[in-house]
Amino acid sequence: MIIGSKAIRRLGYLTQSEMMKSRYSQQTARMLSVMILIFMTFSAASQMVGICNFFGTYLGLNYEWAVIIGTSIVLIYSLFGGFRGVVLTDIIQFVLLLCSALIVFVTAMSHSGGIAEIQQTAKLMGKTDFLNFFLELVII
């Protein structure tokens, strides 16, 4: 986004639909809007399930109360923080996910003995192309 945001701002459009309508057609803009609506519905639903499982597990709440509390938290920071609040929470979530991924990677590497040990185990199992991602893409 850092690379493309300035160029997108210079175009003068506020939404993706406006940009698609200008570049292609009204029908394309509507199709994009429907696709975004479907994606956002599934995204919001999966986040609700996740927050309910989190609150249910760590706070001992039943599913209904977890939904109410989770939705209330999102509504409060969205209402009072506006778009800036939503963006800041997205940044915080990204940083937490990145840190978690790095911790999992380091932990996995330390418990497996490192790359050399993984290579040796893979060779013993007859898996010589275990790091060849391009081979996997061609097969798929």
Side-chain angles (χ1 to χ4, degrees):
M1 289 307 297
I2 291 171
I3 296 169
S5 63
K6 289 181 182 178
I8 292 171
R9 270 190 245 130
R10 280 194 300 263
L11 294 174
Y13 300 111
L14 293 177
T15 65
Q16 289 177 337
S17 293
E18 286 179 13
M19 191 171 15
M20 290 295 135
K21 180 182 173 185
S22 172
R23 174 128 183 160
Y24 300 106
S25 68
Q26 179 66 34
Q27 185 178 4
T28 304
R30 283 189 186 130
M31 187 173 64
L32 176 66
S33 296
V34 169
M35 290 170 59
I36 290 172
L37 178 66
I38 292 169
F39 170 77
M40 293 305 288
T41 301
F42 284 112
S43 177
S46 64
Q47 290 178 21
M48 295 283 268
V49 169
I51 200 164
C52 291
N53 288 334
F54 177 80
F55 284 160
T57 301
Y58 293 105
L59 300 179
L61 298 173
N62 66 13
Y63 198 79
E64 290 80 18
W65 277 108
V67 168
I68 292 169
I69 291 171
T71 303
S72 299
I73 290 170
V74 172
L75 284 174
I76 289 170
Y77 77 71
S78 297
L79 287 172
F80 291 110
F83 185 69
R84 183 178 177 89
V86 172
V87 169
L88 289 175
T89 56
D90 284 347
I91 291 170
I92 292 168
Q93 289 174 21
F94 171 76
V95 169
L96 290 173
L97 284 169
L98 181 63
C99 291
S100 299
L102 290 174
I103 290 169
V104 167
F105 177 75
V106 169
T107 303
M109 280 295 152
S110 67
H111 285 293
S112 66
I115 294 289
E117 186 68 29
I118 293 171
Q119 287 175 329
Q120 183 179 1
T121 304
K123 189 181 255 184
L124 289 173
M125 295 176 68
K127 308 251 182 203
T128 57
D129 288 328
F130 70 98
L131 283 177
N132 191 346
F133 299 112
F134 297 111
L135 179 66
E136 293 293 326
L137 292 174
V138 170
I139 292 173
I140 293 174

